[in-house]
Amino acid sequence: MWQLYHFPLCPFSRKVRLALGEKGVPYDLIRENPWEGRDEFFALNPAGRTPVLRYVEKKLVLIDSQAICEYFEETVDKSPLILGTAANRAEIRRLTALFDESFFTDVTYPILQEKMKKRILYRAPPDSRLLRETMRLLHEHLDYIDWLIDNRRWLAGAQLSLADFAAAAQLSVIDYLGGVDWSGHDGAHGWYRVMKSRPSFRPLLADKMESLPPPRHYSDVNA
Amino acid sequence: MWQLYHFPLCPFSRKVRLALGEKGVPYDLIRENPWEGRDEFFALNPAGRTPVLRYVEKKLVLIDSQAICEYFEETVDKSPLILGTAANRAEIRRLTALFDESFFTDVTYPILQEKMKKRILYRAPPDSRLLRETMRLLHEHLDYIDWLIDNRRWLAGAQLSLADFAAAAQLSVIDYLGGVDWSGHDGAHGWYRVMKSRPSFRPLLADKMESLPPPRHYSDVNA
C-alpha cells in the first residue's frame, strides 16, 4: 500500500491527492507538520518537504508533486491527466508549473505564512498590508483563469487535465483559509465549483486542520 | 526552425540549451532581457519569463523549461534524458525539480540579484552578508552533489540524465559570476568538469554577457 506523507494545507500534497483520487490509486495518509523537521522525514526526503509517497514493500520513495504525478501517469492507464499530442501535453505542463510556481509564490505561500503559520506557531496577527498585496496578485491570477475559461473548456484545452487539479489544489488552500473573493470572476468561480464537486475532491473538503477551522462555505460544493 | 527566447545567465534557458544540444535539435537564439518586460514577449508568455521556444511556421509556443524538455523527450528519440523505469524517471524528475527550485531559490537567484542585477541595473555593490549566507547554502547543495556522486555514477543513477544538466545549468551561472568555491567538493568538481567538457556545453561557455565578463577559468574545461 502507498503511504502519502502530507500536510493538510500543503497545496502540493493536495495536488497529489487529487491525481491519485482521479486515478483510483488507494493510499494511507501520514500527517507531517513541515515546521517540525522530523529526522525520520528528512531521512526520506533531504529537502524536508511534503508530499512524499512511499511503498515500503517495494522500497520505493517518490518525491516532488510533479514527479509523483508523472509516475502515476506512466504506470496507471485510468484517467490520463497529461494527455493529447506533445503540444497539448506541453501546454498542460506549462500551466501546471505556472500554478505550482508563480501562483504558489505570489499567493498561496504568503497566505499560508500570514494566516496559518503566524497564527499556529507564533500566535501573531497577519500583516494586513502584505495580505492586501497578496489579494491583488490573487485577482491577477483569477483574471488569467477567467481568460482561459473564456477561451477553452478546461484550463489547458478541450480536456480536463493535471493543470485543472494543480490550480484547484492551490485555490482550495486559500478557500480553506477564507481568502478567495470571487467577485468579478464568474468564469473562474464556475470552473472551481465544478472541480470541487468531483469525487476526488471530497477527502480534501472533509480534512480539517486542528485549531484552524475552515469557513462554513468551504465544504459546500455550490459555494 | 525553432527560436529560443533566452537570457544568457538564465539557468532555465541554459538547461533547455543543453537538452537541445544533446538531442541535436537546431535553433536560433533570441536575446531577451527579463528586466525590460517587452510587450511582444509578454504576449508570447504572460508570465514574462525565459525560456520560451517558438516555431513560427507550426504556430507552436512552448513555455517552462521542464515542459520544453519533456516535449523534446517525447518527440526526439536521440539521447533520452528522462530514461529508465518509471522509478528511475521519478528520481530524475525529483532531482531536476530540486535544482530548478531549491537550488535556484537558495543560491542562483540571490547570486544573480547581488552580482548581476544590482551591478547592471543599479550600479550598486552586492550585500556581502547575504552573499555569505548564499555561499553557505551553496556548500550544503555541493555536499549533496558529493554524496550523490559518491553513491552513483551520475546524479540520478547509472545514466546521464536531465538531472545532471539541470544541476550543471545552475552551477554554470554561478561559475560565470565567479562564485563557485569547490574546495572540499572534489566529487562535485570532478562531475562538473565532465559536464563542462560535453559538446552541448560549448555554446554556453562561449556566450558572453556584455559589461559582465566571466572569470578566466570559466571557459576552461579543466578548471
Side-chain angles (χ1 to χ4, degrees):
Chain A
M1 183 78 145
W2 290 102
Q3 298 177 313
L4 180 68
Y5 292 77
H6 85 124
F7 174 69
L9 295 182
C10 161
F12 307 105
S13 301
R14 288 179 164 237
K15 174 185 163 196
V16 166
R17 290 168 75 186
L18 292 169
L20 294 175
E22 291 290 323
K23 289 187 168 285
V25 176
Y27 58 92
D28 285 328
L29 277 176
I30 298 183
R31 166 71 176 270
E32 193 66 42
N33 288 333
W35 57 80
E36 285 179 4
R38 285 200 311 131
D39 288 346
E40 303 95 296
F41 186 63
F42 270 85
L44 278 180
N45 180 10
R49 295 200 294 196
T50 50
V52 170
L53 200 61
R54 189 186 195 185
Y55 205 121
V56 176
E57 297 81 358
K58 293 185 185 169
K59 293 192 180 175
L60 207 51
V61 178
L62 305 178
I63 290 163
D64 179 74
S65 75
Q66 191 59 19
I68 293 171
C69 290
E70 299 272 0
Y71 177 90
F72 287 98
E73 196 63 18
E74 292 178 359
T75 55
V76 177
D77 285 338
K78 190 188 165 189
S79 305
L81 297 173
I82 306 172
L83 69 177
T85 64
N88 293 146
R89 294 161 61 89
E91 178 65 358
I92 292 166
R93 290 189 178 108
R94 169 183 83 87
L95 284 170
T96 301
L98 185 77
F99 293 109
D100 284 356
E101 294 165 24
S102 302
F103 190 102
F104 175 72
T105 306
D106 290 347
V107 186
T108 317
Y109 180 78
I111 289 189
L112 278 170
Q113 290 294 106
E114 296 302 316
K115 290 198 164 188
M116 180 196 74
K117 204 169 171 190
K118 273 193 178 174
R119 188 154 157 189
I120 292 186
L121 292 188
Y122 312 121
R123 300 185 184 279
D127 175 338
S128 56
R129 246 188 61 195
L130 199 149
L131 275 183
R132 270 199 301 280
E133 170 59 11
T134 303
M135 288 303 144
R136 193 186 63 74
L137 292 173
L138 170 59
H139 279 291
E140 285 187 10
H141 282 281
L142 290 174
D143 282 341
Y144 189 55
I145 295 179
D146 285 335
W147 181 85
L148 290 171
I149 286 299
D150 268 356
N151 288 279
R152 305 163 164 188
R153 181 152 161 60
W154 298 96
L155 296 190
Q159 291 182 282
L160 175 67
S161 78
L162 189 59
D164 298 282
F165 293 103
Q170 299 286 335
L171 279 162
S172 73
V173 172
I174 302 164
D175 198 33
Y176 187 104
L177 294 168
V180 184
D181 169 13
W182 296 103
S183 51
H185 303 289
D186 290 347
H189 196 185
W191 160 85
Y192 184 63
R193 273 193 288 243
V194 172
M195 295 304 293
K196 217 168 138 176
S197 66
R198 293 191 73 81
S200 64
F201 235 91
R202 245 172 257 152
L204 272 62
L205 298 178
D207 210 2
K208 298 267 184 303
M209 174 90 193
E210 57 283 6
S211 77
L212 205 62
R216 265 188 154 176
H217 76 266
Y218 172 70
S219 54
D220 178 355
V221 294
N222 298 312
Chain B
M1 182 79 143
W2 290 102
Q3 297 177 315
L4 180 68
Y5 291 77
H6 85 126
F7 175 68
L9 295 183
C10 160
F12 306 105
S13 302
R14 287 180 165 237
K15 174 186 162 195
V16 165
R17 291 167 75 185
L18 291 169
L20 294 175
E22 292 289 323
K23 290 188 167 284
V25 176
Y27 58 92
D28 286 330
L29 276 176
I30 298 183
R31 167 68 177 271
E32 194 65 44
N33 288 332
W35 57 81
E36 284 178 5
R38 286 198 314 129
D39 288 345
E40 303 94 297
F41 186 63
F42 271 84
L44 279 180
N45 180 10
R49 295 199 295 195
T50 52
V52 170
L53 201 61
R54 189 186 194 186
Y55 205 120
V56 177
E57 297 82 357
K58 292 185 187 167
K59 294 192 180 174
L60 206 51
V61 178
L62 305 179
I63 289 163
D64 179 73
S65 75
Q66 191 60 18
I68 293 171
C69 291
E70 300 271 0
Y71 176 89
F72 287 98
E73 195 63 17
E74 291 178 359
T75 54
V76 177
D77 285 339
K78 190 187 165 191
S79 303
L81 297 173
I82 305 171
L83 69 177
T85 63
N88 293 146
R89 294 160 63 86
E91 178 64 358
I92 292 165
R93 291 190 178 107
R94 169 183 82 88
L95 284 170
T96 302
L98 185 76
F99 293 109
D100 285 357
E101 293 164 24
S102 302
F103 190 102
F104 175 73
T105 307
D106 289 348
V107 185
T108 317
Y109 180 78
I111 290 189
L112 278 170
Q113 289 294 105
E114 296 302 317
K115 291 199 163 188
M116 180 195 74
K117 204 168 172 191
K118 274 195 177 174
R119 187 155 157 187
I120 293 185
L121 292 189
Y122 311 120
R123 298 184 186 280
D127 175 338
S128 55
R129 245 189 61 195
L130 198 150
L131 275 183
R132 269 199 302 281
E133 169 59 10
T134 303
M135 288 303 142
R136 192 186 63 74
L137 292 173
L138 171 58
H139 278 291
E140 284 187 10
H141 282 283
L142 290 174
D143 282 340
Y144 190 55
I145 295 180
D146 286 335
W147 181 85
L148 291 171
I149 285 299
D150 269 356
N151 288 279
R152 304 162 167 192
R153 182 153 160 59
W154 298 96
L155 297 190
Q159 291 183 281
L160 176 66
S161 79
L162 189 59
D164 297 283
F165 292 103
Q170 299 286 335
L171 279 162
S172 74
V173 172
I174 302 164
D175 198 34
Y176 186 105
L177 293 169
V180 184
D181 169 11
W182 295 104
S183 50
H185 302 289
D186 290 347
H189 196 186
W191 160 85
Y192 184 64
R193 273 193 289 244
V194 172
M195 295 304 293
K196 215 168 141 178
S197 67
R198 294 189 72 81
S200 63
F201 235 92
R202 246 173 255 152
L204 272 62
L205 298 178
D207 210 2
K208 298 267 185 301
M209 174 90 193
E210 58 284 4
S211 78
L212 204 62
R216 265 187 152 176
H217 76 264
Y218 171 71
S219 54
D220 178 354
V221 293
N222 298 311

